[in-house]
Amino acid sequence: MVISRLSKKITKIRGAKNNKLIMKEEFSSTIESLPKELLTEIVAKIASTSFKNYINAKLSCKVFHEVANERYVYQNATLAEFSIEPSWEKENQEKINKVTSFLELCRECGNPEALYRKGVMDFFKDDQPELASEFLKRAAKGGHIGAFYVIGIIMVFIGGEFKQKGVKLIGNMKNTKQLRKITRECRKKLIEILTHIWVKNPIVLEQRPNRCTIQHQRIHRNGWPHDSEDEDGDMHVHCNACSCDIEIDHIISVLPKVGIY
């Protein structure tokens, strides 16, 4: 009787395994019948929300594994789960290589966030304005608003013929309450990166760009200065140069002091 029960249990387990196998084959067959463009769109959507889910989808079946390497997928992949400057000493070499390879693929495929990060690093950390400009322009072209903001900030720091263009760009980004809200998010994102990297570019460490030479009166809801509704202290500033001054002040406040290294 014991042997009979054991035999039935084994048969039941085998049946369950067979059912799972059949279901997996049917799933794969259904997936394979879908257009490649749709499958790529599905995986790209997954990749845009979670890197972990992207990996799970990639490993789920052969078809997803193939489309997961499409350029469009890398272009839309989120980098939210990747820190700005990973603690490489805590990671093994294999993981470092995989992360580095993934980020490089994202940049090569035109991922706006990957291009943006590279542009910021190239200017503030590595003092390569030409490369930084190239990556940031590509990011901006891909719709990354933060890239426009950083381009404006960089122009102001570089000075000369670029300064007024940068002042105008930043000023235009703060023309309305809604635009100022977006600009604040761009600023916070840049500051987050700057606080996690070693800023070494002497252009931003050794000078404070002069922008507005006129003492404009700034009107605030509760006195001067006060971070209220806009958190900027420039709710009623209509001078582009003054508006840009506020942004530069925020950026300079998180930079290392000259001579600290």
Side-chain angles (χ1 to χ4, degrees):
M1 181 176 291
V2 174
I3 295 175
S4 176
R5 288 177 180 175
L6 182 60
S7 177
K8 289 180 179 179
K9 189 173 183 179
I10 291 173
T11 301
K12 186 177 180 180
I13 292 173
R14 286 176 176 173
K17 288 183 177 180
N18 288 335
N19 287 337
K20 288 183 179 179
L21 182 61
I22 292 171
M23 289 176 64
K24 186 175 182 179
E25 290 176 349
E26 290 179 347
F27 173 77
S28 297
S29 178
T30 302
I31 290 295
E32 289 176 359
S33 67
L34 296 175
K36 184 178 180 180
E37 293 77 9
L38 177 58
L39 294 173
T40 302
E41 189 67 47
I42 291 171
V43 177
K45 186 65 175 179
I46 294 171
S48 70
T49 57
S50 168
F51 176 75
K52 182 178 179 180
N53 290 341
Y54 159 73
I55 293 299
N56 290 336
K58 185 176 181 179
L59 298 176
S60 65
C61 68
K62 181 180 178 181
V63 181
F64 274 168
H65 189 275
E66 291 177 356
V67 298
N69 294 317
E70 289 290 321
R71 180 183 181 88
Y72 181 71
V73 175
Y74 287 114
Q75 186 177 354
N76 288 275
T78 179
L79 303 186
E81 295 166 58
F82 295 93
S83 57
I84 304 301
E85 284 275 83
S87 301
W88 298 121
E89 67 275 5
K90 298 180 181 180
E91 309 292 352
N92 59 53
Q93 191 59 47
E94 182 181 3
K95 184 173 182 179
I96 291 173
N97 292 339
K98 287 182 178 179
V99 171
T100 302
S101 177
F102 177 76
L103 294 177
E104 288 178 352
L105 280 170
C106 287
R107 285 198 298 271
E108 291 173 4
C109 294
N111 183 295
E113 176 64 17
L115 294 168
Y116 167 82
R117 290 189 182 190
K118 186 69 167 62
V120 172
M121 298 284 278
D122 280 345
F123 182 77
F124 288 93
K125 182 178 179 180
D126 298 325
D127 188 14
Q128 301 183 70
E130 294 80 11
L131 279 177
S133 177
E134 177 186 342
F135 284 115
L136 288 169
K137 285 179 180 178
R138 289 174 59 193
K141 188 176 181 180
H144 199 295
I145 304 300
F148 285 102
Y149 177 82
V150 177
I151 288 172
I153 295 295
I154 288 176
M155 284 181 170
V156 175
F157 272 111
I158 291 176
E161 61 181 300
F162 297 103
K163 184 174 70 173
Q164 289 306 315
K165 293 180 180 179
V167 168
K168 185 176 180 180
L169 195 160
I170 295 297
N172 288 340
M173 290 186 71
K174 303 176 72 175
N175 276 337
T176 67
K177 179 180 176 180
Q178 184 59 33
L179 286 175
R180 287 194 294 274
K181 181 178 179 181
I182 295 173
T183 302
R184 286 201 305 275
E185 293 304 312
C186 294
R187 178 209 305 154
K188 289 177 182 178
K189 187 175 183 65
L190 175 57
I191 288 177
E192 180 186 3
I193 296 179
L194 296 181
T195 55
H196 284 84
I197 66 175
W198 183 7
V199 178
K200 296 183 288 185
N201 189 339
I203 294 178
V204 299
L205 293 179
E206 298 176 357
Q207 65 169 318
R208 184 188 185 285
N210 293 320
R211 295 158 303 280
C212 185
T213 58
I214 303 173
Q215 290 286 2
H216 289 107
Q217 182 179 5
R218 304 179 189 182
I219 304 170
H220 297 268
R221 182 170 296 180
N222 296 311
W224 164 267
H226 182 71
D227 289 347
S228 54
E229 186 177 353
D230 269 354
E231 298 180 4
D232 289 338
D234 65 347
M235 287 181 60
H236 301 282
V237 172
H238 300 293
C239 167
N240 282 346
C242 283
S243 190
C244 186
D245 273 346
I246 293 170
E247 295 306 313
I248 294 297
D249 287 342
H250 279 292
I251 303 304
I252 289 178
S253 70
V254 301
L255 296 178
K257 305 301 181 184
V258 178
I260 194 172
Y261 297 107

